[in-house]
Amino acid sequence: YAAIAIPVEVTALSVLIGFWDPNLDHTAIYIAVIVLLLFLINLFGVRMFGNSEIVFATLKIMLIVGLIIGGLVVSLGGGPDHERVGFRYWRDPGPMVSFLEPGARGRFVGLLVAIVPAAFSVSGIELIAITAAEARQPRTNIVRAMRTVIFRLLFFYLLAVLVVGMLVPSNDPTLFARASTAGQSPFVLAFTRAGIKVLPSVINAVLLTSAFSAANTFIFASSRILYGLAVQNQAPKFFTTCTNSGVPWIAVITSGMFSLLAFMNVSSNAGVVFNWFVNLSTVCGFFGWLTINSTYLRYYYGLRYHGIVPQGIYRSPLQPYAAMWGIFWVIFYILVSGVSVFWDFVASDFVASYINIPIFIGLYLGYKFWRKTKIPSIAELDFTSNIPTLAETGDEDLLVEKPSTLSRIRQII
């Protein structure tokens, strides 16, 4: 997933640059410069990666907050045309339009089709855990970072989508255009419709840094995944080769090579290529979450079988039912990810939507056959070997029992 998502973001970068320079002859130059910058940042190590991500994350937060506030102002009549939109588009044409089919069935199909871009937008949250091997106090800091996910989803995603839905009607033809310009960005479209001339360029510029940040993250994540597989003898050993500063440079270069797939934009429409990559990476992400949830269930029931009660780490009160719920919906989303091709069949779209299913099954069964491995039973699971202690990861504070909120209140009284 992380590797195939790299050309997605590089393609998005070329599309965003096309907002200012629609000359398609320059696409290859822009892609080459972007790929070179991505390689340089990731080969200079974690510090360079971390510092760049701080800058990009700050810009993204400023952008999304500004867009939400600006969108509300425009919706309430604060734009140049002073037209108060409110929730007008929620009534006409409504929040959902018929897609490929008339009536309620068409609206349901439209909902299924929207799953892929929506899932792509929120995927990658699990990549936070990959930084655990190179983070200080991972048991503390990784859990702290993951706890902010629900707030990011509620504020940065749902609220932003709400604002865009107020400003752009669901049947706007520009939303469905498969063009090679950035005019189809809903935020850019929203402020363009409001008659604001300068702001779309500002939005596009910050979106450019956001896409570059995502590509940067995916190269980092995919290279560390490849390195981890090599350490566990599940990939060639030469991927464990590191620089003096600890950067797995062969894994970084190998992962970065996927960015070269973005050069497909030179011969094909960037919008079409982008949709191919989005479908591929989204279904890859679904399989990743299927694996994560399945692995967690074995972990959960393995701990129960061995009578182990984890100390000082985060435990969700919704488990194991949340993992079961996740497995059901992930399988459902994988099966419906390419539902639109059955109305307007295009071979390339069908392959992009479903090729991951035989690839995933083939790789899994192929590894099992080649390595002659078996799935261990719950009784055979090992929860003690090669696991760093709290002292080794700098998480000794977790051993200290912290007073509950009720105890603190009693002390104050």
Side-chain angles (χ1 to χ4, degrees):
Y1 158 73
I4 200 63
I6 300 169
V8 176
E9 301 301 337
V10 176
T11 299
L13 283 163
S14 68
V15 172
L16 291 169
I17 294 174
F19 180 78
W20 298 295
D21 183 9
N23 190 341
L24 297 179
D25 294 334
H26 298 164
T27 301
I29 299 174
Y30 295 135
I31 292 176
V33 172
I34 292 166
V35 170
L36 179 61
L37 290 174
L38 289 171
F39 271 107
L40 290 176
I41 289 178
N42 280 273
L43 288 173
F44 272 105
V46 179
R47 184 177 296 274
M48 182 69 176
F49 169 81
N51 291 337
S52 64
E53 283 303 300
I54 291 173
V55 176
F56 293 141
T58 302
L59 289 173
K60 284 189 286 187
I61 293 173
M62 293 172 61
L63 172 68
I64 197 66
V65 172
L67 289 176
I68 291 172
I69 295 174
L72 290 174
V73 170
V74 171
S75 178
L76 296 174
D81 55 5
H82 299 292
E83 181 183 5
R84 185 166 182 169
V85 180
F87 288 92
R88 177 193 308 169
Y89 298 134
W90 283 48
R91 296 187 299 272
D92 182 23
M96 298 174 64
V97 294
S98 297
F99 187 75
L100 301 175
E101 288 272 353
R105 181 184 297 179
R107 289 193 291 272
F108 179 69
V109 173
L111 176 64
L112 295 180
V113 171
I115 287 173
V116 171
F120 175 77
S121 298
V122 300
S123 61
I125 296 171
E126 72 281 1
L127 297 181
I128 295 175
I130 295 174
T131 62
E134 299 175 62
R136 295 181 180 179
Q137 297 182 311
R139 289 181 173 92
T140 302
N141 293 327
I142 299 301
V143 170
R144 186 177 299 160
M146 288 302 297
R147 281 176 173 167
T148 65
V149 168
I150 184 63
F151 301 104
R152 291 200 306 241
L153 290 175
L154 289 174
F155 184 77
F156 294 123
Y157 285 92
L158 297 184
L159 191 55
V161 170
L162 174 66
V163 172
V164 170
M166 294 168 64
L167 296 175
V168 183
S170 57
N171 63 349
D172 191 302
T174 320
L175 290 173
F176 303 98
R178 294 180 117 189
S180 59
T181 67
Q184 282 68 46
S185 168
F187 289 111
V188 173
L189 180 59
F191 288 98
T192 300
R193 289 176 60 92
I196 302 175
K197 297 180 179 179
V198 179
L199 197 55
S201 291
V202 176
I203 295 171
N204 204 69
V206 182
L207 288 176
L208 197 70
T209 66
S210 177
F212 187 87
S213 169
N216 197 27
T217 300
F218 286 128
I219 289 183
F220 175 88
S222 57
S223 62
R224 269 50 180 188
I225 292 172
L226 187 57
Y227 172 81
L229 290 172
V231 169
Q232 299 178 30
N233 295 319
Q234 295 176 332
K237 220 38 173 171
F238 59 80
F239 286 122
T240 60
T241 305
C242 296
T243 64
N244 292 332
S245 59
V247 178
W249 65 274
I250 295 181
V252 169
I253 292 176
T254 304
S255 300
M257 294 294 286
F258 280 85
S259 62
L260 301 180
L261 291 172
F263 281 103
M264 293 173 62
N265 294 285
V266 177
S267 58
S268 301
N269 185 294
V272 176
V273 175
F274 180 78
N275 285 331
W276 289 344
F277 287 145
V278 165
N279 288 335
L280 285 169
S281 61
T282 302
V283 178
C284 281
F286 285 149
F287 276 111
W289 276 106
L290 177 63
T291 305
I292 289 171
N293 283 300
S294 302
T295 303
Y296 179 82
L297 285 179
R298 288 179 53 79
Y299 168 78
Y300 177 87
Y301 287 111
L303 289 179
R304 281 206 353 182
Y305 180 87
H306 292 280
I308 300 173
V309 180
Q311 297 293 330
I313 63 173
Y314 172 76
R315 286 174 290 171
S316 171
L318 301 178
Q319 297 293 2
Y321 307 107
M324 298 175 185
W325 174 264
I327 289 173
F328 170 80
W329 284 110
V330 163
I331 294 175
F332 174 77
Y333 291 155
I334 290 173
L335 296 177
V336 303
S337 61
V339 66
S340 62
V341 301
F342 297 105
W343 275 264
D344 183 17
F345 188 83
V346 178
S348 58
D349 291 345
F350 177 82
V351 171
S353 298
Y354 292 108
I355 189 63
N356 281 311
I357 297 177
I359 289 177
F360 179 83
I361 296 174
L363 288 174
Y364 180 79
L365 296 179
Y367 178 84
K368 288 294 182 183
F369 176 79
W370 184 261
R371 291 284 186 175
K372 302 294 191 296
T373 61
K374 65 173 185 176
I375 300 176
S377 65
I378 296 294
E380 296 173 320
L381 296 181
D382 182 6
F383 294 97
T384 56
S385 302
N386 302 317
I387 297 178
T389 63
L390 294 176
E392 290 173 331
T393 59
D395 292 299
E396 301 96 327
D397 293 343
L398 293 176
L399 294 172
V400 180
E401 185 175 353
K402 298 179 181 180
S404 63
T405 304
L406 182 59
S407 299
R408 292 176 182 174
I409 294 174
R410 287 174 177 171
Q411 289 176 3
I412 294 173
I413 295 176

